[in-house]
Amino acid sequence: MLLGRRGLRRLGIGCVTVLLVAFGFLYLTGAGQFVRDMWSHGFIDQYLSPEAARKYNASNEQNLKSLYKAMLQYHESEGQFPQARGWMDGIRSFGAASDLAKGEADKKFVNPEFAGKPGKFGYAMNDAASGKYKGDLKDPKMPLLFESSDTSRNAHGDPKLLMPKPPRAGGNLGIAVDGTILKL
């Protein structure tokens, strides 16, 4: 042994000291706030214990609420709702959740009726809200997102024209500009 027991012990104590000083520095600086935020939102824990990542399992109503929250976060960030022609792409990063297994958050974009059917989504955005500021929309009960007969990604249009006929199981649902779940 080159270092001997005494040398290894000093090396170990030195490494622990360096780590404690580094963590203390991080804790007291802006970088530390970033690390604490990452930890509290589960980003770091997800990598330390990936088995804790959960599967996404939700109802149609829960999907609409999740999509609505993502739309509001986009609106808060950009000052308007996304353009209807790319609304799913626009809000995708706002719908992520750190505690979900990889790819599970994308299930929020799929009506449960179309689960396991690649390329089918089942939700659309109302063209009347495309690129608009929430406060500029006169009717807060106007559908923002709704179940659609157009099942393609980024489907959009007039809810009256795209409503599934016959209605889907449980009736056709939507979510209004003010976040109210609507039976269409």
Side-chain angles (χ1 to χ4, degrees), residues 7-183:
L8 286 174
R9 187 171 180 197
R10 285 185 183 159
L11 180 64
I13 292 171
C15 288
V16 169
T17 303
V18 168
L19 286 173
L20 287 174
V21 169
F23 282 123
F25 175 75
L26 283 175
Y27 187 79
L28 298 172
T29 64
Q33 181 63 41
F34 173 75
V35 171
R36 286 192 305 277
D37 288 345
M38 296 290 282
W39 186 274
S40 69
H41 288 93
F43 289 107
I44 294 172
D45 195 38
Q46 169 184 337
Y47 295 104
L48 294 177
S49 58
E51 68 280 353
R54 64 183 174 90
K55 299 272 187 204
Y56 182 75
N57 188 12
S59 68
N60 187 23
E61 189 171 323
Q62 288 169 318
N63 279 357
L64 285 167
K65 288 178 180 179
S66 291
L67 292 173
Y68 179 75
K69 286 178 186 175
M71 291 287 272
L72 286 183
Q73 289 174 342
Y74 180 97
H75 187 280
E76 182 73 24
S77 172
E78 304 299 319
Q80 64 185 24
F81 288 119
Q83 295 297 320
R85 69 181 172 274
W87 71 274
M88 286 183 171
D89 300 327
I91 68 169
R92 186 168 187 263
S93 64
F94 295 98
S98 64
D99 65 333
L100 291 176
K102 185 175 180 147
E104 291 294 301
D106 291 339
K107 292 180 180 179
K108 295 175 184 180
F109 292 91
V110 179
N111 184 305
E113 189 172 312
F114 299 110
K117 297 180 181 175
K120 293 196 178 263
F121 296 87
Y123 296 115
M125 180 179 173
N126 189 342
D127 279 341
S130 179
K132 300 269 178 48
Y133 176 70
K134 187 177 176 182
D136 291 341
L137 299 170
K138 294 182 182 0
D139 182 8
K141 298 295 182 198
M142 174 184 81
L144 175 63
L145 301 172
F146 57 94
E147 287 188 274
S148 171
S149 57
D150 179 353
T151 60
S152 64
R153 183 172 185 81
N154 293 311
H156 60 93
D158 184 339
K160 291 176 184 166
L161 300 176
L162 291 179
M163 201 174 315
K165 296 173 186 111
R168 294 199 180 127
N172 295 327
L173 297 180
I175 194 157
V177 171
D178 70 356
T180 305
I181 293 291
L182 304 170
K183 202 142 193 167

